[in-house]
């Protein structure tokens, strides 16, 4: 099914910005709702944001107003622009998707990519 490669992670200071990229393959990109999740040691993956096939976004309360999700059909890529970063945003970030936006909300995928690590520290 969908194959993804996440990139763009790194180390930033609190208040800084970072843009993550999720390049997809093996799918008809326009038919898929896509989303971002994050995970820290000892915790389950937490849903961060999603974007529908029609580019309608939705965010978790913890990131709303700071993060922006977008998609570029020409590049089959989903982005997560992260602004005003906080130490609690530190995590490995994952991307995934499905034809059904409800499945994306649930996040019960059989497989995940390698993720990209984000560290926010002074």
């Amino acid at each position: 099914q969908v194959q993804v490669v996440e990139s763009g992670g790194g180390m930033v200071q609190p208040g800084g910005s970072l843009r993550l990229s999720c390049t997809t393959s093996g799918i008809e990109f326009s038919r898929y709702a896509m989303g971002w999740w994050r995970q820290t040691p000892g915790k389950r993956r937490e849903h961060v944001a999603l974007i529908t096939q029609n580019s309608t976004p939705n965010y978790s309360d913890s990131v709303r107003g700071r993060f922006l999700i977008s998609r570029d059909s020409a590049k089959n890529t989903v982005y997560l622009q992260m602004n005003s970063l906080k130490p609690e945003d530190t995590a490995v970030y994952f991307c995934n998707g499905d034809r059904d936006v409800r499945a994306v909300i649930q996040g019960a995928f059989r497989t995940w990519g390698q993720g990209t690590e984000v560290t926010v520290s002074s």
Side-chain angles (χ1 to χ4, degrees), residues 23-119:
T23 301
T24 70
S25 61
I27 63 169
E28 189 174 342
F29 182 72
S30 63
R31 297 181 61 186
Y32 275 66
M34 303 294 298
W36 287 93
W37 290 257
R38 64 188 181 187
Q39 186 174 32
T40 56
K43 295 183 178 180
R44 279 180 155 82
R45 285 183 176 87
E46 172 194 7
H47 182 255
V48 175
L50 69 83
I51 186 165
T52 70
Q53 295 89 330
N54 295 321
S55 298
T56 300
N58 185 264
Y59 304 93
S60 68
D61 292 339
S62 62
V63 307
R64 186 176 295 108
R66 299 187 298 121
F67 291 11
L68 294 171
I69 187 171
S70 62
R71 60 193 297 158
D72 187 339
S73 60
K75 299 181 179 180
N76 292 341
T77 297
V78 181
Y79 301 98
L80 186 67
Q81 178 66 48
M82 305 186 295
N83 303 313
S84 302
L85 283 162
K86 305 175 180 179
E88 48 263 46
D89 294 319
T90 296
V92 178
Y93 284 71
F94 300 87
C95 180
N96 221 320
D98 196 272
R99 298 180 186 87
D100 189 345
V101 66
R102 293 169 296 180
V104 176
I105 294 173
Q106 292 189 55
F109 300 99
R110 291 187 61 180
T111 60
W112 297 84
Q114 83 287 351
T116 185
E117 187 173 356
V118 173
T119 301

